[in-house]
Amino acid sequence: MAAAAAAAAVSVTASSSDAPNGKATDLRSTFEQVYNHLKSELLEDSDFDFTDDSRQWIERMLDHNVPGGKLNRGLSVVDSYRLLRQGMEISTDEVFLGCVLVITHLSLSWQDLQLQAYFLVLDDIMDGSLTRRGQPCWFRVPKVGFIAVNDGVLLRNHIPRILKRHFREKPYYVDLLDLFNEVEFQTASGQMLDLITTHEGEKDLSKYKMPVYRRIVQYKTAYYSFYLPVACALVMSGENLENFINVKNILIDMGTYFQVQDDYLDCFGDPQVIGKIGTDIEDFKCSWLVVQALERADENEKKILSENYGKPGSEHVASVKTLYKDLELQAVFLKYERESYEQLTASIIALPSKSVQEVLKSFLGKIYKRQK
């Protein structure tokens, strides 16, 4: 391990979810140190002859897209590994490698965030989004525009370079590569389903049904947001993922629940709290709310949806939100949230491994009744 990497590492013994605020702050500080080290590696990559302008661009792009947000995915990798190792101390010595008793595996945690950044940069372009994590989407930053497409490709290419540099000597290296490639394929396929459910210029609400919605969410969100962090921790713990199909299914259900929350907050959440301006209504998204509305609406209410959903303008958005309130979708969501939590909890308790139970309980605890 490089001396600079070792110097950046600090000992992490507490999880972000159950530690006092000071410990959680220390963990985030460690993430930031590791991020800065990985960024310096990327900016000095010997396979590209950087100019001053290109190095400044990459640094600015990375800083804008990678380290922001709640760090849930990265912290979940750390938490999952700690819980699977039954609370044993995670040492500083292999902070970039992520395995065997002496691990913080923050490199892989940031790697997971790198994958997320790649997805979000391209997703924001495809959705025409305005803000992300409380700041303008990268493609809306002055002088960026559709250069962001290539930046998304660069973010994707950083992934195998980091993995190769820090994990290639590990016995699970190939499994790790396979895992990232598999999840990337599933996520891109889910995005494709989302985009083609109603093609540009076509407004066909009849396609928006719950099986369609669940399939989009499963592939677009659940695999990379929920399955990937836990699968990384399992692989690094020497486990065969084929033995954890029930765990995978629970995480997919958890990811679906998370996306339903996201859809609800897109409409009813405070942009100052959630860090973005919701645009699902204007974008004609196959959202959980519109699917629920279509299941409950009479012919007149469906007409209101047809005339206003997917159209820009505050008056159209207001009409849809008023209809959602008339159909009491806020109460429908609260009922769904409660029942989902109870069902997920029962499924987790039924698992034979106590350590895996703790991993999933920790994951569920972070998202239940979240406000952002």
Side-chain angles (χ1 to χ4, degrees), residues 255-283:
T256 301
Y257 162 61
F258 178 88
Q259 185 59 52
V260 171
Q261 288 179 310
D262 230 35
D263 292 352
Y264 177 82
L265 292 172
D266 183 274
C267 179
F268 295 110
D270 181 351
Q272 296 298 318
V273 175
I274 65 176
K276 64 179 181 179
I277 300 171
T279 60
D280 283 358
I281 294 173
E282 299 97 308
D283 294 340

Side-chain angles (χ1 to χ4, degrees), residues 3-4 21 32 37 43 45 65 71 77-78 85 92 145 149-150 161 186 190 192 201-202 351 362 372:
N21 288 337
E32 290 170 352
H37 180 82
L43 294 175
D45 195 316
N65 292 294
L71 298 184
V77 182
V78 175
R85 302 307 296 170
T92 64
V149 174
N150 191 67
R161 304 193 74 76
Q186 290 163 331
M192 177 266 299
E202 297 178 4
L351 293 171
S362 173
K372 61 180 181 179

Side-chain angles (χ1 to χ4, degrees), residues 93-322:
D93 191 43
E94 296 199 12
V95 68
F96 286 84
L97 302 180
C99 194
V100 203
L101 297 182
V102 284
I103 232 175
T104 62
H105 94 229
L106 298 181
S107 170
L108 186 56
S109 299
W110 273 114
Q111 185 59 55
D112 189 10
L113 291 175
Q114 187 91 11
L115 183 66
Q116 182 197 14
Y118 152 60
F119 286 139
L120 295 184
V121 166
L122 298 183
D123 185 67
D124 286 341
I125 295 170
M126 288 182 274
D127 290 348
S129 300
L130 300 174
T131 59
R132 171 74 64 179
R133 297 169 177 165
Q135 60 183 351
C137 296
W138 176 239
F139 81 100
R140 293 192 180 276
V141 172
K143 298 184 179 180
V144 177
F146 288 111
I147 297 174
V149 174
N150 191 67
D151 290 336
V153 174
L154 282 172
L155 284 166
R156 168 62 183 92
N157 278 271
H158 288 161
I159 293 170
R161 304 193 74 76
I162 294 175
L163 290 177
K164 181 179 179 180
R165 184 180 185 98
H166 297 291
F167 293 91
R168 63 179 166 182
E169 301 302 324
K170 290 298 175 181
Y172 55 79
Y173 174 56
V174 172
D175 292 331
L176 209 55
L177 285 177
D178 285 345
L179 179 60
F180 271 93
N181 287 334
E182 174 187 316
V183 171
E184 183 192 0
F185 169 71
Q186 290 163 331
T187 306
S189 297
Q191 177 72 348
M192 177 266 299
L193 286 175
D194 190 16
L195 293 170
I196 70 171
T197 298
T198 298
H199 289 282
E200 184 72 23
E202 297 178 4
K203 299 285 173 61
D204 186 0
L205 283 171
S206 68
K207 295 182 180 180
Y208 287 2
K209 300 182 183 299
M210 192 53 64
V212 174
Y213 174 80
R214 287 187 63 86
R215 182 179 291 271
I216 291 171
V217 169
Q218 174 182 341
Y219 287 100
K220 182 179 177 180
T221 301
Y223 279 104
Y224 97 87
S225 290
F226 285 80
Y227 174 63
L228 179 60
V230 176
C232 284
L234 289 168
V235 167
M236 295 169 67
S237 299
E239 300 288 357
N240 184 342
L241 293 180
E242 295 298 321
N243 298 329
F244 292 88
I245 300 301
N246 288 342
V247 173
K248 182 177 183 177
N249 291 335
I250 291 171
L251 288 164
I252 297 306
D253 288 342
M254 205 180 295
T256 301
Y257 162 61
F258 178 88
Q259 185 59 52
V260 171
Q261 288 179 310
D262 230 35
D263 292 352
Y264 177 82
L265 292 172
D266 183 274
C267 179
F268 295 110
D270 181 351
Q272 296 298 318
V273 175
I274 65 176
K276 64 179 181 179
I277 300 171
T279 60
D280 283 358
I281 294 173
E282 299 97 308
D283 294 340
F284 203 76
K285 300 295 287 185
C286 185
S287 160
W288 183 84
L289 288 170
V290 76
V291 172
Q292 293 293 330
L294 288 166
E295 288 182 354
R296 291 166 170 75
D298 58 28
E299 290 305 313
N300 183 57
E301 290 166 332
K302 288 180 180 178
K303 185 172 183 292
I304 293 173
L305 273 177
S306 178
E307 291 174 348
N308 292 281
Y309 199 75
K311 294 183 179 179
S314 58
E315 69 279 8
H316 295 296
V317 173
S319 294
V320 174
K321 289 187 176 182
T322 297

